[in-house]
Amino acid sequence: MASNAERRLMKDLKKMQDEEHDQTITAIPNDSDIFKWDAIIFGPDDTEWEGGVFKLLMEFTDQYPNKPPDIRFLTKVFHPNVYADGRICLDILMNNWSPVYDVQSILISI
């Protein structure tokens, strides 16, 4: 039987596969582990990141969605809210986490 976290991650995956989701982001679970996702953010038009392709790793625990995932950029990013090791300083991933956030909304926030 699937855990609450696994059911929620499957729901998030279905939402990411919906044709109406934001096409500047994509995320899929690793083939062998539903708790590890590979994500890509395409640099938004009319920004200094336009044309960029930014790879991220999202790692969830069995406490998701009650606890935020650990997310880090695999692509080198120069931004004041991104540490040298790729970890992200973002309020919704730290102090203001809420179970209402899903994979799509997290990536849009990033």
Side-chain angles (χ1 to χ4, degrees), residues 52-70:
V53 177
F54 305 96
K55 296 179 181 180
L56 301 94
L57 176 64
M58 304 177 80
E59 294 180 291
F60 301 86
T61 69
D62 61 354
Q63 297 297 307
Y64 180 76
N66 296 317
K67 301 246 181 192
D70 179 47

Side-chain angles (χ1 to χ4, degrees), residues 19-81:
E19 291 183 18
E20 294 183 22
H21 90 275
D22 186 332
Q23 298 299 312
T24 63
I25 58 172
T26 184
I28 56 170
N30 181 296
D31 288 335
S32 61
D33 190 350
I34 188 74
F35 292 100
K36 289 186 180 182
W37 289 42
D38 298 311
I40 297 175
I41 298 175
F42 298 98
D45 291 342
D46 301 321
T47 71
E48 54 269 21
W49 297 284
E50 182 175 7
V53 177
F54 305 96
K55 296 179 181 180
L56 301 94
L57 176 64
M58 304 177 80
E59 294 180 291
F60 301 86
T61 69
D62 61 354
Q63 297 297 307
Y64 180 76
N66 296 317
K67 301 246 181 192
D70 179 47
I71 304 173
R72 63 184 164 90
F73 278 95
L74 300 177
T75 304
K76 190 75 170 169
V77 175
F78 297 101
H79 190 279
N81 289 12

